Amino acid sequence: MKNEKKIKILFLGTLTSDEQNKIFLFKGIRPAPADIVQKYLIDGFIEDDRVEEIYFLGSPRISAYPNNKILKVKDEKWTIKKGKVDSLGYFNFPIIGFKEREIKLIKKAKKWVQNQKNSEIYAIIYSMHSPFLAAIKAIKEINPEIKTLLIVPDLPQYMGEFNFIKKILKKLDMIRINKLLSYIDKYALYTKYMAEYLNLQDNWIVFEGLMDTDKISLESFKKVKKNVCVYAGSLDKKYAIGTLIEAFSKIDNAELHLYGKKSEADILINEYKNIKNIKYMGILSQEEIFKVMKDARLLVNPRPSSLELTKYSCPSKTFEYIASGTPVVMNKLAGLPEEYYPYIYFFEEEDVNGFRKKIKDILSKTDEELYDFAKNGKIFLKEYKNNIYQAKKILDFITREDKNNEKK
């Protein structure tokens, strides 16, 4: 690689500083898994000899008022080795905050591009967010030679529940997004089904996530003292959290610890307050929740396979779960690549009895059996899904001139 021309990367995303995350946690705002993926990617790009400089330009995405208290997100700057991070603040108010982010992103992106003389620039965007795409349009108009790649972790129309007004706004935003996609050259999709949905031909690869190499450690065997099972994520009932809680009400020798948004937890706690082995544990930072997962006996994800959105998402928590070294049980979701199957336990039936039977069966295994099963998953992630491997895969694809399809 030493003889290859050096490149510069403009990375548009939502990376949030540790200090900002502490503020969000204090206000009950759960850290976004997407931020972790972006941080891992930056670390991976930095390790690639082809990369001369990375400029990460972004702005945190949190729910607008009234879903969150009115919050002035501040501007922040910091560095990660040869990467420079410029996180733009805004007032967290509907429509106004959205537009403020876009104006600031466009201005900063244009300024950075105009300062790059005789440089080979590649722009990478994380998520189909119209302010990011508008910034891409602006820099493409300055320099049409810039090559662009869009990472699509989710389709916007499947992200969250919308009331009547929000549905109208989302439809209008999608019309705009579809027009802005004309400035995207290549795509990295979280599932193969997205290609069909977006009518893509041969300009895409599957990129379902990654893990930081340093975070995947192969610890020696240790005995787990208690049957604590953990779910960390959205506590929305559409994800079958209620079914999972009812299943645990029929398991005498285990506890279910739930981590997630307080407002969602309050609804669950009120409905299932008489079930003694269910505990809501609050919202933790990514580092704290990872330690919790490592110390658990089983990690659970009850998301139903019947949900349409499972075709268009690969749950990022699957990576964190497997990397923790604790066994994982979940439903077989359409967006999960088959190469992960040997390292995950799956529910055979997606109801209370099916959950109960499978969880009891797994918990009846010896600590040695569970350790060996989970260890194989960590080895798989460490070798094939680490951030350096996955970042190289993206760079190889975006810098390649031809557009032959790679679906691996």
Side-chain angles (χ1 to χ4, degrees), residues 360-402:
K360 288 192 70 172
D361 174 63
I362 295 170
L363 294 179
S364 69
K365 299 180 184 296
T366 66
D367 288 336
E368 289 81 1
E369 286 179 285
L370 295 179
Y371 169 78
D372 288 340
F373 183 84
K375 181 181 178 182
N376 289 332
K378 287 208 296 184
I379 293 171
F380 166 71
L381 282 189
K382 194 172 185 70
E383 186 170 354
Y384 297 109
K385 303 299 175 180
N386 65 73
N387 57 325
I388 295 173
Y389 183 99
Q390 293 289 69
K392 181 180 182 301
K393 177 179 179 179
I394 287 178
L395 284 181
D396 287 348
F397 179 59
I398 193 174
T399 58
R400 202 180 63 222
E401 289 301 322
D402 66 282

mmCIF file of all heavy atoms in Angstrom, residues 360-402:
data_model
loop_
_atom_site.group_PDB
_atom_site.id
_atom_site.type_symbol
_atom_site.label_atom_id
_atom_site.label_comp_id
_atom_site.label_asym_id
_atom_site.label_seq_id
_atom_site.Cartn_x
_atom_site.Cartn_y
_atom_site.Cartn_z
ATOM 1 N N LYS A 360 -35.017 -21.704 29.455
ATOM 2 C CA LYS A 360 -34.758 -22.727 30.483
ATOM 3 C C LYS A 360 -33.752 -23.765 29.981
ATOM 4 O O LYS A 360 -32.877 -24.216 30.722
ATOM 5 C CB LYS A 360 -36.060 -23.407 30.902
ATOM 6 C CG LYS A 360 -36.980 -22.537 31.751
ATOM 7 C CD LYS A 360 -38.111 -23.334 32.380
ATOM 8 C CE LYS A 360 -37.585 -24.252 33.472
ATOM 9 N NZ LYS A 360 -38.690 -24.898 34.216
ATOM 10 N N ASP A 361 -33.882 -24.134 28.718
ATOM 11 C CA ASP A 361 -32.962 -25.110 28.128
ATOM 12 C C ASP A 361 -31.526 -24.569 28.123
ATOM 13 O O ASP A 361 -30.582 -25.284 28.478
ATOM 14 C CB ASP A 361 -33.407 -25.440 26.699
ATOM 15 C CG ASP A 361 -32.406 -26.337 25.982
ATOM 16 O OD1 ASP A 361 -32.201 -27.474 26.448
ATOM 17 O OD2 ASP A 361 -31.826 -25.891 24.964
ATOM 18 N N ILE A 362 -31.364 -23.311 27.740
ATOM 19 C CA ILE A 362 -30.020 -22.724 27.697
ATOM 20 C C ILE A 362 -29.443 -22.610 29.107
ATOM 21 O O ILE A 362 -28.278 -22.950 29.346
ATOM 22 C CB ILE A 362 -30.063 -21.338 27.026
ATOM 23 C CG1 ILE A 362 -30.474 -21.469 25.555
ATOM 24 C CG2 ILE A 362 -28.691 -20.652 27.109
ATOM 25 C CD1 ILE A 362 -30.776 -20.152 24.878
ATOM 26 N N LEU A 363 -30.255 -22.161 30.055
ATOM 27 C CA LEU A 363 -29.776 -21.978 31.424
ATOM 28 C C LEU A 363 -29.456 -23.301 32.120
ATOM 29 O O LEU A 363 -28.742 -23.314 33.130
ATOM 30 C CB LEU A 363 -30.803 -21.194 32.244
ATOM 31 C CG LEU A 363 -31.052 -19.736 31.817
ATOM 32 C CD1 LEU A 363 -32.102 -19.095 32.701
ATOM 33 C CD2 LEU A 363 -29.759 -18.927 31.852
ATOM 34 N N SER A 364 -29.964 -24.392 31.569
ATOM 35 C CA SER A 364 -29.671 -25.710 32.163
ATOM 36 C C SER A 364 -28.296 -26.236 31.742
ATOM 37 O O SER A 364 -27.792 -27.198 32.309
ATOM 38 C CB SER A 364 -30.745 -26.729 31.754
ATOM 39 O OG SER A 364 -30.647 -27.035 30.366
ATOM 40 N N LYS A 365 -27.669 -25.591 30.755
ATOM 41 C CA LYS A 365 -26.357 -26.020 30.286
ATOM 42 C C LYS A 365 -25.288 -25.642 31.313
ATOM 43 O O LYS A 365 -25.471 -24.717 32.115
ATOM 44 C CB LYS A 365 -26.038 -25.390 28.926
ATOM 45 C CG LYS A 365 -27.015 -25.778 27.812
ATOM 46 C CD LYS A 365 -26.647 -25.113 26.503
ATOM 47 C CE LYS A 365 -27.672 -25.418 25.418
ATOM 48 N NZ LYS A 365 -27.721 -26.858 25.084
ATOM 49 N N THR A 366 -24.193 -26.326 31.262
ATOM 50 C CA THR A 366 -23.103 -26.036 32.198
ATOM 51 C C THR A 366 -22.410 -24.736 31.817
ATOM 52 O O THR A 366 -22.490 -24.286 30.656
ATOM 53 C CB THR A 366 -22.054 -27.163 32.208
ATOM 54 O OG1 THR A 366 -21.406 -27.197 30.928
ATOM 55 C CG2 THR A 366 -22.704 -28.512 32.498
ATOM 56 N N ASP A 367 -21.719 -24.147 32.766
ATOM 57 C CA ASP A 367 -20.971 -22.930 32.481
ATOM 58 C C ASP A 367 -19.935 -23.159 31.389
ATOM 59 O O ASP A 367 -19.685 -22.288 30.552
ATOM 60 C CB ASP A 367 -20.275 -22.429 33.751
ATOM 61 C CG ASP A 367 -21.267 -21.849 34.752
ATOM 62 O OD1 ASP A 367 -22.350 -21.415 34.321
ATOM 63 O OD2 ASP A 367 -20.953 -21.832 35.945
ATOM 64 N N GLU A 368 -19.340 -24.339 31.392
ATOM 65 C CA GLU A 368 -18.319 -24.673 30.396
ATOM 66 C C GLU A 368 -18.929 -24.714 28.995
ATOM 67 O O GLU A 368 -18.336 -24.218 28.024
ATOM 68 C CB GLU A 368 -17.651 -26.012 30.719
ATOM 69 C CG GLU A 368 -16.727 -25.992 31.920
ATOM 70 C CD GLU A 368 -17.467 -26.100 33.250
ATOM 71 O OE1 GLU A 368 -18.723 -26.218 33.233
ATOM 72 O OE2 GLU A 368 -16.807 -26.056 34.299
ATOM 73 N N GLU A 369 -20.118 -25.323 28.872
ATOM 74 C CA GLU A 369 -20.792 -25.393 27.571
ATOM 75 C C GLU A 369 -21.104 -23.990 27.044
ATOM 76 O O GLU A 369 -20.871 -23.682 25.866
ATOM 77 C CB GLU A 369 -22.095 -26.190 27.686
ATOM 78 C CG GLU A 369 -21.934 -27.683 27.824
ATOM 79 C CD GLU A 369 -23.289 -28.363 27.948
ATOM 80 O OE1 GLU A 369 -23.909 -28.279 29.023
ATOM 81 O OE2 GLU A 369 -23.743 -28.970 26.956
ATOM 82 N N LEU A 370 -21.647 -23.145 27.904
ATOM 83 C CA LEU A 370 -22.016 -21.797 27.495
ATOM 84 C C LEU A 370 -20.782 -20.968 27.151
ATOM 85 O O LEU A 370 -20.793 -20.191 26.192
ATOM 86 C CB LEU A 370 -22.814 -21.115 28.608
ATOM 87 C CG LEU A 370 -24.177 -21.742 28.924
ATOM 88 C CD1 LEU A 370 -24.857 -20.993 30.065
ATOM 89 C CD2 LEU A 370 -25.077 -21.750 27.698
ATOM 90 N N TYR A 371 -19.724 -21.148 27.911
ATOM 91 C CA TYR A 371 -18.479 -20.411 27.651
ATOM 92 C C TYR A 371 -17.908 -20.789 26.291
ATOM 93 O O TYR A 371 -17.534 -19.912 25.492
ATOM 94 C CB TYR A 371 -17.456 -20.716 28.753
ATOM 95 C CG TYR A 371 -16.065 -20.205 28.429
ATOM 96 C CD1 TYR A 371 -15.748 -18.860 28.583
ATOM 97 C CD2 TYR A 371 -15.082 -21.070 27.941
ATOM 98 C CE1 TYR A 371 -14.467 -18.392 28.270
ATOM 99 C CE2 TYR A 371 -13.810 -20.605 27.627
ATOM 100 C CZ TYR A 371 -13.516 -19.265 27.791
ATOM 101 O OH TYR A 371 -12.257 -18.807 27.476
ATOM 102 N N ASP A 372 -17.855 -22.090 25.986
ATOM 103 C CA ASP A 372 -17.298 -22.545 24.711
ATOM 104 C C ASP A 372 -18.132 -22.048 23.532
ATOM 105 O O ASP A 372 -17.593 -21.636 22.499
ATOM 106 C CB ASP A 372 -17.215 -24.078 24.683
ATOM 107 C CG ASP A 372 -16.116 -24.612 25.594
ATOM 108 O OD1 ASP A 372 -15.201 -23.839 25.933
ATOM 109 O OD2 ASP A 372 -16.191 -25.797 25.979
ATOM 110 N N PHE A 373 -19.453 -22.091 23.690
ATOM 111 C CA PHE A 373 -20.343 -21.630 22.626
ATOM 112 C C PHE A 373 -20.120 -20.143 22.344
ATOM 113 O O PHE A 373 -19.965 -19.720 21.194
ATOM 114 C CB PHE A 373 -21.796 -21.875 23.028
ATOM 115 C CG PHE A 373 -22.797 -21.487 21.967
ATOM 116 C CD1 PHE A 373 -23.109 -22.368 20.940
ATOM 117 C CD2 PHE A 373 -23.426 -20.249 21.993
ATOM 118 C CE1 PHE A 373 -24.032 -22.019 19.961
ATOM 119 C CE2 PHE A 373 -24.342 -19.878 21.016
ATOM 120 C CZ PHE A 373 -24.641 -20.773 19.998
ATOM 121 N N ALA A 374 -20.092 -19.346 23.403
ATOM 122 C CA ALA A 374 -19.931 -17.900 23.248
ATOM 123 C C ALA A 374 -18.533 -17.541 22.747
ATOM 124 O O ALA A 374 -18.369 -16.599 21.963
ATOM 125 C CB ALA A 374 -20.209 -17.202 24.579
ATOM 126 N N LYS A 375 -17.532 -18.292 23.167
ATOM 127 C CA LYS A 375 -16.159 -18.005 22.757
ATOM 128 C C LYS A 375 -16.000 -18.136 21.250
ATOM 129 O O LYS A 375 -15.310 -17.337 20.605
ATOM 130 C CB LYS A 375 -15.191 -18.949 23.473
ATOM 131 C CG LYS A 375 -13.722 -18.701 23.132
ATOM 132 C CD LYS A 375 -12.809 -19.683 23.853
ATOM 133 C CE LYS A 375 -11.359 -19.466 23.472
ATOM 134 N NZ LYS A 375 -10.451 -20.441 24.133
ATOM 135 N N ASN A 376 -16.648 -19.130 20.649
ATOM 136 C CA ASN A 376 -16.571 -19.312 19.196
ATOM 137 C C ASN A 376 -17.123 -18.088 18.464
ATOM 138 O O ASN A 376 -16.612 -17.699 17.408
ATOM 139 C CB ASN A 376 -17.329 -20.569 18.772
ATOM 140 C CG ASN A 376 -16.617 -21.839 19.191
ATOM 141 O OD1 ASN A 376 -15.398 -21.860 19.326
ATOM 142 N ND2 ASN A 376 -17.367 -22.905 19.407
ATOM 143 N N GLY A 377 -18.165 -17.487 19.026
ATOM 144 C CA GLY A 377 -18.733 -16.282 18.423
ATOM 145 C C GLY A 377 -17.760 -15.118 18.481
ATOM 146 O O GLY A 377 -17.616 -14.355 17.527
ATOM 147 N N LYS A 378 -17.065 -14.983 19.606
ATOM 148 C CA LYS A 378 -16.092 -13.900 19.737
ATOM 149 C C LYS A 378 -14.932 -14.073 18.758
ATOM 150 O O LYS A 378 -14.445 -13.097 18.176
ATOM 151 C CB LYS A 378 -15.561 -13.848 21.172
ATOM 152 C CG LYS A 378 -16.555 -13.309 22.172
ATOM 153 C CD LYS A 378 -15.881 -12.636 23.357
ATOM 154 C CE LYS A 378 -15.057 -13.584 24.171
ATOM 155 N NZ LYS A 378 -14.497 -12.897 25.369
ATOM 156 N N ILE A 379 -14.496 -15.306 18.583
ATOM 157 C CA ILE A 379 -13.410 -15.574 17.632
ATOM 158 C C ILE A 379 -13.835 -15.183 16.216
ATOM 159 O O ILE A 379 -13.071 -14.579 15.457
ATOM 160 C CB ILE A 379 -12.989 -17.059 17.686
ATOM 161 C CG1 ILE A 379 -12.329 -17.365 19.039
ATOM 162 C CG2 ILE A 379 -12.047 -17.414 16.544
ATOM 163 C CD1 ILE A 379 -12.066 -18.843 19.278
ATOM 164 N N PHE A 380 -15.075 -15.521 15.862
ATOM 165 C CA PHE A 380 -15.624 -15.172 14.543
ATOM 166 C C PHE A 380 -15.628 -13.656 14.345
ATOM 167 O O PHE A 380 -15.173 -13.143 13.311
ATOM 168 C CB PHE A 380 -17.038 -15.732 14.415
ATOM 169 C CG PHE A 380 -17.822 -15.167 13.260
ATOM 170 C CD1 PHE A 380 -17.518 -15.503 11.955
ATOM 171 C CD2 PHE A 380 -18.887 -14.289 13.495
ATOM 172 C CE1 PHE A 380 -18.248 -14.979 10.888
ATOM 173 C CE2 PHE A 380 -19.611 -13.760 12.443
ATOM 174 C CZ PHE A 380 -19.298 -14.106 11.141
ATOM 175 N N LEU A 381 -16.118 -12.914 15.339
ATOM 176 C CA LEU A 381 -16.152 -11.459 15.231
ATOM 177 C C LEU A 381 -14.747 -10.869 15.150
ATOM 178 O O LEU A 381 -14.479 -9.978 14.343
ATOM 179 C CB LEU A 381 -16.869 -10.849 16.441
ATOM 180 C CG LEU A 381 -18.386 -10.891 16.496
ATOM 181 C CD1 LEU A 381 -18.885 -10.051 17.661
ATOM 182 C CD2 LEU A 381 -19.029 -10.414 15.206
ATOM 183 N N LYS A 382 -13.876 -11.379 15.990
ATOM 184 C CA LYS A 382 -12.527 -10.824 16.061
ATOM 185 C C LYS A 382 -11.780 -11.000 14.745
ATOM 186 O O LYS A 382 -11.003 -10.138 14.331
ATOM 187 C CB LYS A 382 -11.752 -11.487 17.206
ATOM 188 C CG LYS A 382 -10.467 -10.757 17.592
ATOM 189 C CD LYS A 382 -9.858 -11.349 18.835
ATOM 190 C CE LYS A 382 -8.633 -10.551 19.292
ATOM 191 N NZ LYS A 382 -8.972 -9.233 19.825
ATOM 192 N N GLU A 383 -12.047 -12.113 14.061
ATOM 193 C CA GLU A 383 -11.317 -12.396 12.826
ATOM 194 C C GLU A 383 -11.944 -11.753 11.599
ATOM 195 O O GLU A 383 -11.237 -11.222 10.734
ATOM 196 C CB GLU A 383 -11.225 -13.915 12.621
ATOM 197 C CG GLU A 383 -10.368 -14.301 11.430
ATOM 198 C CD GLU A 383 -10.075 -15.790 11.368
ATOM 199 O OE1 GLU A 383 -10.440 -16.513 12.326
ATOM 200 O OE2 GLU A 383 -9.488 -16.233 10.372
ATOM 201 N N TYR A 384 -13.292 -11.775 11.520
ATOM 202 C CA TYR A 384 -13.945 -11.370 10.276
ATOM 203 C C TYR A 384 -14.792 -10.102 10.359
ATOM 204 O O TYR A 384 -15.172 -9.548 9.322
ATOM 205 C CB TYR A 384 -14.843 -12.507 9.756
ATOM 206 C CG TYR A 384 -14.070 -13.749 9.404
ATOM 207 C CD1 TYR A 384 -14.165 -14.895 10.196
ATOM 208 C CD2 TYR A 384 -13.228 -13.779 8.293
ATOM 209 C CE1 TYR A 384 -13.451 -16.045 9.872
ATOM 210 C CE2 TYR A 384 -12.517 -14.914 7.971
ATOM 211 C CZ TYR A 384 -12.629 -16.049 8.764
ATOM 212 O OH TYR A 384 -11.917 -17.184 8.451
ATOM 213 N N LYS A 385 -15.117 -9.637 11.563
ATOM 214 C CA LYS A 385 -15.993 -8.474 11.679
ATOM 215 C C LYS A 385 -15.362 -7.377 12.526
ATOM 216 O O LYS A 385 -16.057 -6.527 13.072
ATOM 217 C CB LYS A 385 -17.348 -8.889 12.282
ATOM 218 C CG LYS A 385 -18.073 -9.968 11.495
ATOM 219 C CD LYS A 385 -18.396 -9.536 10.072
ATOM 220 C CE LYS A 385 -19.004 -10.676 9.274
ATOM 221 N NZ LYS A 385 -19.335 -10.274 7.880
ATOM 222 N N ASN A 386 -14.054 -7.399 12.620
ATOM 223 C CA ASN A 386 -13.394 -6.345 13.390
ATOM 224 C C ASN A 386 -13.366 -5.053 12.582
ATOM 225 O O ASN A 386 -13.560 -5.044 11.362
ATOM 226 C CB ASN A 386 -11.981 -6.784 13.801
ATOM 227 C CG ASN A 386 -11.069 -6.972 12.606
ATOM 228 O OD1 ASN A 386 -10.636 -6.021 11.971
ATOM 229 N ND2 ASN A 386 -10.772 -8.223 12.282
ATOM 230 N N ASN A 387 -13.113 -3.945 13.257
ATOM 231 C CA ASN A 387 -13.225 -2.643 12.604
ATOM 232 C C ASN A 387 -12.181 -2.428 11.503
ATOM 233 O O ASN A 387 -12.459 -1.771 10.499
ATOM 234 C CB ASN A 387 -13.128 -1.517 13.640
ATOM 235 C CG ASN A 387 -11.855 -1.569 14.457
ATOM 236 O OD1 ASN A 387 -11.343 -2.638 14.779
ATOM 237 N ND2 ASN A 387 -11.327 -0.415 14.798
ATOM 238 N N ILE A 388 -11.003 -3.006 11.642
ATOM 239 C CA ILE A 388 -9.970 -2.842 10.625
ATOM 240 C C ILE A 388 -10.353 -3.592 9.343
ATOM 241 O O ILE A 388 -10.238 -3.068 8.226
ATOM 242 C CB ILE A 388 -8.604 -3.325 11.164
ATOM 243 C CG1 ILE A 388 -8.158 -2.423 12.317
ATOM 244 C CG2 ILE A 388 -7.545 -3.335 10.056
ATOM 245 C CD1 ILE A 388 -6.916 -2.885 13.033
ATOM 246 N N TYR A 389 -10.844 -4.819 9.507
ATOM 247 C CA TYR A 389 -11.276 -5.641 8.369
ATOM 248 C C TYR A 389 -12.438 -4.968 7.632
ATOM 249 O O TYR A 389 -12.443 -4.868 6.399
ATOM 250 C CB TYR A 389 -11.681 -7.025 8.891
ATOM 251 C CG TYR A 389 -12.095 -8.020 7.836
ATOM 252 C CD1 TYR A 389 -11.208 -8.984 7.369
ATOM 253 C CD2 TYR A 389 -13.392 -8.016 7.313
ATOM 254 C CE1 TYR A 389 -11.599 -9.916 6.414
ATOM 255 C CE2 TYR A 389 -13.786 -8.931 6.353
ATOM 256 C CZ TYR A 389 -12.884 -9.884 5.908
ATOM 257 O OH TYR A 389 -13.282 -10.800 4.960
ATOM 258 N N GLN A 390 -13.434 -4.507 8.402
ATOM 259 C CA GLN A 390 -14.628 -3.928 7.793
ATOM 260 C C GLN A 390 -14.351 -2.554 7.177
ATOM 261 O O GLN A 390 -14.897 -2.215 6.123
ATOM 262 C CB GLN A 390 -15.742 -3.823 8.836
ATOM 263 C CG GLN A 390 -16.284 -5.166 9.344
ATOM 264 C CD GLN A 390 -17.093 -5.906 8.304
ATOM 265 O OE1 GLN A 390 -16.557 -6.394 7.300
ATOM 266 N NE2 GLN A 390 -18.388 -6.021 8.534
ATOM 267 N N ALA A 391 -13.492 -1.759 7.827
ATOM 268 C CA ALA A 391 -13.127 -0.453 7.252
ATOM 269 C C ALA A 391 -12.377 -0.638 5.936
ATOM 270 O O ALA A 391 -12.594 0.103 4.967
ATOM 271 C CB ALA A 391 -12.285 0.340 8.251
ATOM 272 N N LYS A 392 -11.490 -1.638 5.894
ATOM 273 C CA LYS A 392 -10.763 -1.939 4.659
ATOM 274 C C LYS A 392 -11.735 -2.368 3.551
ATOM 275 O O LYS A 392 -11.580 -1.980 2.386
ATOM 276 C CB LYS A 392 -9.730 -3.042 4.899
ATOM 277 C CG LYS A 392 -8.912 -3.408 3.657
ATOM 278 C CD LYS A 392 -7.907 -4.495 3.950
ATOM 279 C CE LYS A 392 -7.065 -4.816 2.710
ATOM 280 N NZ LYS A 392 -7.863 -5.253 1.564
ATOM 281 N N LYS A 393 -12.732 -3.152 3.920
ATOM 282 C CA LYS A 393 -13.727 -3.598 2.943
ATOM 283 C C LYS A 393 -14.436 -2.395 2.314
ATOM 284 O O LYS A 393 -14.626 -2.341 1.087
ATOM 285 C CB LYS A 393 -14.750 -4.512 3.643
ATOM 286 C CG LYS A 393 -15.877 -4.998 2.755
ATOM 287 C CD LYS A 393 -16.808 -5.919 3.533
ATOM 288 C CE LYS A 393 -17.962 -6.399 2.658
ATOM 289 N NZ LYS A 393 -18.867 -7.316 3.387
ATOM 290 N N ILE A 394 -14.789 -1.416 3.135
ATOM 291 C CA ILE A 394 -15.462 -0.224 2.624
ATOM 292 C C ILE A 394 -14.516 0.605 1.754
ATOM 293 O O ILE A 394 -14.887 1.066 0.667
ATOM 294 C CB ILE A 394 -16.013 0.617 3.789
ATOM 295 C CG1 ILE A 394 -17.236 -0.075 4.396
ATOM 296 C CG2 ILE A 394 -16.401 2.020 3.319
ATOM 297 C CD1 ILE A 394 -17.836 0.647 5.579
ATOM 298 N N LEU A 395 -13.285 0.789 2.213
ATOM 299 C CA LEU A 395 -12.329 1.580 1.428
ATOM 300 C C LEU A 395 -11.993 0.901 0.102
ATOM 301 O O LEU A 395 -11.869 1.567 -0.932
ATOM 302 C CB LEU A 395 -11.055 1.824 2.234
ATOM 303 C CG LEU A 395 -11.141 2.875 3.346
ATOM 304 C CD1 LEU A 395 -9.803 3.016 4.046
ATOM 305 C CD2 LEU A 395 -11.591 4.220 2.796
ATOM 306 N N ASP A 396 -11.823 -0.419 0.117
ATOM 307 C CA ASP A 396 -11.563 -1.148 -1.126
ATOM 308 C C ASP A 396 -12.694 -0.918 -2.128
ATOM 309 O O ASP A 396 -12.466 -0.738 -3.324
ATOM 310 C CB ASP A 396 -11.428 -2.652 -0.849
ATOM 311 C CG ASP A 396 -10.119 -3.010 -0.162
ATOM 312 O OD1 ASP A 396 -9.222 -2.149 -0.104
ATOM 313 O OD2 ASP A 396 -10.007 -4.152 0.329
ATOM 314 N N PHE A 397 -13.913 -0.930 -1.622
ATOM 315 C CA PHE A 397 -15.081 -0.799 -2.483
ATOM 316 C C PHE A 397 -15.232 0.620 -3.032
ATOM 317 O O PHE A 397 -15.454 0.821 -4.226
ATOM 318 C CB PHE A 397 -16.335 -1.198 -1.699
ATOM 319 C CG PHE A 397 -17.612 -1.091 -2.480
ATOM 320 C CD1 PHE A 397 -17.796 -1.815 -3.645
ATOM 321 C CD2 PHE A 397 -18.640 -0.256 -2.046
ATOM 322 C CE1 PHE A 397 -18.978 -1.718 -4.382
ATOM 323 C CE2 PHE A 397 -19.817 -0.152 -2.764
ATOM 324 C CZ PHE A 397 -19.988 -0.881 -3.934
ATOM 325 N N ILE A 398 -15.074 1.610 -2.169
ATOM 326 C CA ILE A 398 -15.305 2.990 -2.612
ATOM 327 C C ILE A 398 -14.188 3.486 -3.535
ATOM 328 O O ILE A 398 -14.415 4.311 -4.420
ATOM 329 C CB ILE A 398 -15.471 3.946 -1.404
ATOM 330 C CG1 ILE A 398 -16.033 5.285 -1.885
ATOM 331 C CG2 ILE A 398 -14.171 4.140 -0.660
ATOM 332 C CD1 ILE A 398 -16.365 6.254 -0.761
ATOM 333 N N THR A 399 -12.970 2.960 -3.355
ATOM 334 C CA THR A 399 -11.852 3.421 -4.187
ATOM 335 C C THR A 399 -11.711 2.648 -5.482
ATOM 336 O O THR A 399 -10.937 3.025 -6.351
ATOM 337 C CB THR A 399 -10.521 3.331 -3.410
ATOM 338 O OG1 THR A 399 -10.311 1.982 -2.978
ATOM 339 C CG2 THR A 399 -10.527 4.257 -2.202
ATOM 340 N N ARG A 400 -12.454 1.532 -5.615
ATOM 341 C CA ARG A 400 -12.355 0.725 -6.831
ATOM 342 C C ARG A 400 -13.085 1.399 -7.979
ATOM 343 O O ARG A 400 -14.193 1.919 -7.806
ATOM 344 C CB ARG A 400 -12.962 -0.658 -6.554
ATOM 345 C CG ARG A 400 -12.472 -1.743 -7.517
ATOM 346 C CD ARG A 400 -13.117 -3.078 -7.185
ATOM 347 N NE ARG A 400 -14.559 -2.999 -7.358
ATOM 348 C CZ ARG A 400 -15.427 -3.537 -6.508
ATOM 349 N NH1 ARG A 400 -15.028 -4.135 -5.416
ATOM 350 N NH2 ARG A 400 -16.726 -3.450 -6.744
ATOM 351 N N GLU A 401 -12.502 1.364 -9.140
ATOM 352 C CA GLU A 401 -13.074 2.050 -10.297
ATOM 353 C C GLU A 401 -14.255 1.317 -10.896
ATOM 354 O O GLU A 401 -15.233 1.903 -11.288
ATOM 355 C CB GLU A 401 -11.987 2.257 -11.370
ATOM 356 C CG GLU A 401 -10.949 3.286 -10.998
ATOM 357 C CD GLU A 401 -11.538 4.654 -10.738
ATOM 358 O OE1 GLU A 401 -12.483 5.040 -11.452
ATOM 359 O OE2 GLU A 401 -11.079 5.333 -9.803
ATOM 360 N N ASP A 402 -14.164 -0.011 -10.979
ATOM 361 C CA ASP A 402 -15.256 -0.752 -11.597
ATOM 362 C C ASP A 402 -16.396 -0.887 -10.597
ATOM 363 O O ASP A 402 -16.251 -0.610 -9.431
ATOM 364 C CB ASP A 402 -14.795 -2.137 -12.056
ATOM 365 C CG ASP A 402 -14.418 -3.010 -10.886
ATOM 366 O OD1 ASP A 402 -13.299 -2.807 -10.352
ATOM 367 O OD2 ASP A 402 -15.213 -3.873 -10.488
#
